[in-house]
Amino acid sequence: MVNIFCIIHGLNVLFQECSKKQKNDDTQSTSVDALSSGDGFEEKNEFPTLANAKILLSDCLACDSCMTSEEGARVFQQNQKELFRILNLNKKCDTSKHKVLAVSICPQSLPYFAAKFNLSVNDAAKRLCGFLKSLGVHYVFDTTIAADFSLLESQREFVQRYQRRNQEEHALPMFASACPGWIRYAERVLTNLVTSHICTAKSPQQIMGSLVKGYFARQQNLSPDKIFHVIVAPCYDKKLEALREDFYTALYNSQEVDCVLTSGEIVQIMEQKNVSMEDVTEVSVDTLFDDMKEGDVVRHDGKRSDGYLEHIFKYAAKELFGMEVKEITYKALKNKDFQEVTLEKDGETVLRFAAAYGFRNIQNMVLKMKKGKFLYHFVEVLACPGGCLNGKGQAQTEDGKPDKALLNQMEEVYAAIPVRLPETNVHVQKMYQDWLEGMDSKKVQETLHTTYSAVNQTASSLDIKW
């Protein structure tokens, strides 16, 4: 195991006693380079924490025991240099080595570009697309369609688990699976106490990988290994998620996602190129469907994330209890990042959901579960305090702290984006039938789902002293 040592928010490594109690989730984050580089592409950093694929897993979700030497080497490759390596490769005469370069942008990244450059979110999307294509990128996609699939699969799985709750011990509670920092912590530390409860639907990032390397590759008559797929995301945890073995196709020696760059790393490239977003030509974002272009940016329900709690709650209320829920009322409990939602019928609480953001709330949630005092049917778990918009790969000050003023602007931008229900996306419904062979097919399970289990367990989470 390579000694990759991460100190996150003032907390020491997970498998040791915590040497510094945390007072709040907003204290400064620091990190150490995974590896050093000797190639010639020098980077000018907008933020100190954005250099050369440093691993900044939010709220102490990684430690020196959680990465193999191979993972460390491959994580280091996930930076701007790898993007430029492919761009330079495509300029050479040997066309057999050329790659189709596709970039997919997470919806929580767009408000960062909009707020930072004082643009509307639609203008930000088009200018970001124009900038990437000016570099030599062939296709720029929006990952919202992948979130559509993830939400639809997650809400169906919850209803199935709820209906099996009296027959299967691990059916409930169900935990969301979209946050890779949370998933890594659960697999490496919490063991099967938690992993059997994690929803099996892939995250939007990895479903986008399946769409690009599967559906889109087939539409373009391309082998998956001929596509180099980059994700632009708000956090560093996504870099590790892209390396998971279950997201690798041995037949083509191809990962579903080849490289993850944070929003801040894209801004670094702009600065290195002396490019201003205001000067970039607007280009419409591509879709996976022939020459069709994306329209206006849309989002899902949820204040700072893809809205798993809201979508699953409304769907379950209707499917299980025949109740139409239009608006959801959140009840903040110990802090603003731990909130509860309940459904009442005939004087009885029939559904109890929670949103737990940040490691402090995750730890409290797990302790309640161990004590048998866990009352929730579903929890939307996110590693970053404040949710995905507060990912550590964007909206940071020069000293590595959250830029609260910029974050406030980003929240306003995100809240103003129109909501589109995943059920209303006609392309998704068509792909279920034409590509996935029906909603209940084996191909759906193979393409849109995965499994989670304890990995390289070296210490029980009971051994950690907080």
Side-chain angles (χ1 to χ4, degrees):
M1 306 289 279
V2 65
N3 185 27
I4 298 177
F5 182 71
C6 299
I7 303 175
I8 311 299
H9 288 231
L11 294 176
N12 210 334
V13 293
L14 279 173
F15 298 142
Q16 301 173 6
E17 180 173 351
C18 180
S19 62
K20 183 177 180 181
K21 298 285 186 180
Q22 177 174 320
K23 292 187 178 180
N24 67 61
D25 280 317
D26 290 331
T27 53
Q28 182 173 352
S29 300
T30 59
S31 65
V32 179
D33 281 316
L35 294 170
S36 61
S37 172
D39 63 37
F41 184 74
E42 294 298 321
E43 297 175 342
K44 173 186 174 186
N45 294 322
E46 180 186 8
F47 310 123
T49 53
L50 287 179
N52 280 358
K54 292 180 181 179
I55 302 305
L56 194 66
L57 294 181
S58 305
D59 304 295
C60 199
L61 295 181
C63 73
D64 59 347
S65 298
C66 79
M67 292 182 68
T68 65
S69 56
E70 180 184 1
E71 283 179 323
R74 291 168 66 199
V75 162
F76 176 72
Q77 292 176 346
Q78 296 201 26
N79 58 30
Q80 301 101 315
K81 298 178 185 180
E82 183 69 356
L83 172 63
F84 277 85
R85 182 183 72 80
I86 300 299
L87 289 169
N88 290 331
L89 186 69
N90 284 349
K91 294 177 182 178
K92 295 183 178 179
C93 296
D94 187 357
T95 57
S96 67
K97 295 182 179 180
H98 286 191
K99 300 276 188 177
V100 172
L101 189 48
V103 176
S104 299
I105 303 169
C106 295
Q108 289 78 29
S109 289
L110 287 177
Y112 168 68
F113 291 100
K116 183 174 180 64
F117 296 105
N118 195 29
L119 298 167
S120 72
V121 71
N122 289 313
D123 287 347
K126 291 177 181 178
R127 289 177 189 267
L128 181 56
C129 179
F131 171 69
L132 291 169
K133 290 198 171 185
S134 74
L135 296 177
V137 172
H138 300 102
Y139 298 96
V140 178
F141 301 120
D142 180 346
T143 67
T144 300
I145 189 171
D148 285 341
F149 278 109
S150 185
L151 287 165
L152 291 170
E153 292 302 306
S154 296
Q155 63 191 29
R156 290 176 68 231
E157 180 172 333
F158 175 79
V159 167
Q160 292 166 4
R161 282 174 175 258
Y162 188 92
Q163 292 169 337
R164 301 194 308 262
R165 69 193 184 283
N166 295 325
Q167 289 78 42
E168 294 183 18
E169 179 183 359
H170 299 294
L172 294 178
M174 186 176 93
F175 297 118
S177 57
C179 174
W182 150 245
I183 293 298
R184 197 167 184 88
Y185 174 60
E187 288 189 318
R188 302 293 170 128
V189 179
L190 300 178
T191 71
N192 291 328
L193 168 74
V194 166
T195 55
S196 58
H197 293 274
I198 296 174
C199 177
T200 66
K202 288 183 183 178
S203 72
Q205 169 174 300
Q206 294 310 135
I207 289 181
M208 196 67 195
S210 297
L211 294 177
V212 170
K213 294 289 186 91
Y215 178 82
F216 182 72
R218 189 181 72 173
Q219 297 296 107
Q220 300 296 318
N221 292 317
L222 291 168
S223 172
D225 60 311
K226 286 296 184 181
I227 299 176
F228 190 84
H229 185 206
V230 179
I231 292 281
V232 176
C235 72
Y236 288 88
D237 304 45
K238 295 291 186 180
K239 294 176 184 280
L240 281 168
E241 180 183 25
L243 300 180
R244 289 181 64 94
E245 292 181 2
D246 44 333
F247 303 145
Y248 168 77
T249 304
L251 178 62
Y252 298 104
N253 188 27
S254 177
Q255 293 288 143
E256 293 177 347
V257 174
D258 297 292
C259 181
V260 176
L261 297 178
T262 64
S263 314
E265 286 174 310
I266 297 297
V267 171
Q268 286 179 14
I269 297 174
M270 292 179 180
E271 293 184 341
Q272 291 154 5
K273 296 288 185 181
N274 292 317
V275 172
S276 170
M277 281 282 271
E278 290 82 355
D279 300 327
V280 175
T281 302
E282 293 186 4
V283 178
S284 294
V285 176
D286 301 298
T287 72
L288 300 168
F289 315 104
D290 298 323
D291 296 326
M292 186 180 298
K293 299 295 183 180
E294 288 283 1
D296 289 345
V297 174
V298 296
R299 68 174 178 91
H300 297 107
D301 277 328
K303 298 177 181 178
R304 291 166 287 186
S305 69
D306 278 315
Y308 284 82
L309 184 152
E310 295 205 16
H311 284 280
I312 296 174
F313 187 86
K314 291 177 180 179
Y315 180 81
K318 182 177 181 180
E319 291 294 313
L320 296 171
F321 304 103
M323 299 175 67
E324 291 277 356
V325 177
K326 299 296 184 183
E327 297 292 332
I328 286 181
T329 301
Y330 286 88
K331 177 184 177 183
L333 299 180
K334 290 188 176 182
N335 55 73
K336 65 179 182 179
D337 278 333
F338 194 94
Q339 300 191 61
E340 180 182 275
V341 176
T342 59
L343 181 70
E344 311 289 331
K345 185 175 183 180
D346 300 328
E348 178 186 0
T349 300
V350 292
L351 286 179
R352 191 183 297 273
F353 282 26
Y357 299 170
F359 184 70
R360 175 177 54 184
N361 290 318
I362 293 173
Q363 191 70 9
N364 287 336
M365 176 188 77
V366 173
L367 289 174
K368 286 183 179 179
M369 194 170 178
K370 289 175 180 175
K371 293 177 181 178
K373 298 180 179 179
F374 201 79
L375 303 177
Y376 299 104
H377 297 108
F378 173 82
V379 185
E380 179 182 278
V381 189
L382 298 176
C384 291
C388 296
L389 286 181
N390 192 31
K392 300 305 180 289
Q394 60 185 25
Q396 301 284 289
T397 61
E398 290 185 0
D399 58 358
K401 295 180 180 179
D403 186 333
K404 294 184 178 180
L406 185 58
L407 277 168
N408 287 337
Q409 294 179 53
M410 290 164 58
E411 289 179 5
E412 291 177 4
V413 170
Y414 193 67
I417 297 173
V419 171
R420 183 188 68 193
L421 296 177
E423 293 89 344
T424 64
N425 188 334
V426 294
H427 295 297
V428 167
Q429 301 305 324
K430 191 172 188 301
M431 290 172 75
Y432 265 119
Q433 300 306 318
D434 296 347
W435 178 51
L436 295 170
E437 301 168 5
M439 295 190 73
D440 297 313
S441 70
K442 180 180 179 181
K443 190 170 182 180
V444 164
Q445 289 300 312
E446 294 172 346
T447 306
L448 305 182
H449 290 259
T450 188
T451 56
Y452 301 102
S453 58
V455 179
N456 294 335
Q457 189 65 25
T458 59
S460 169
S461 57
L462 292 172
D463 296 333
I464 306 168
K465 300 176 183 179
W466 298 97

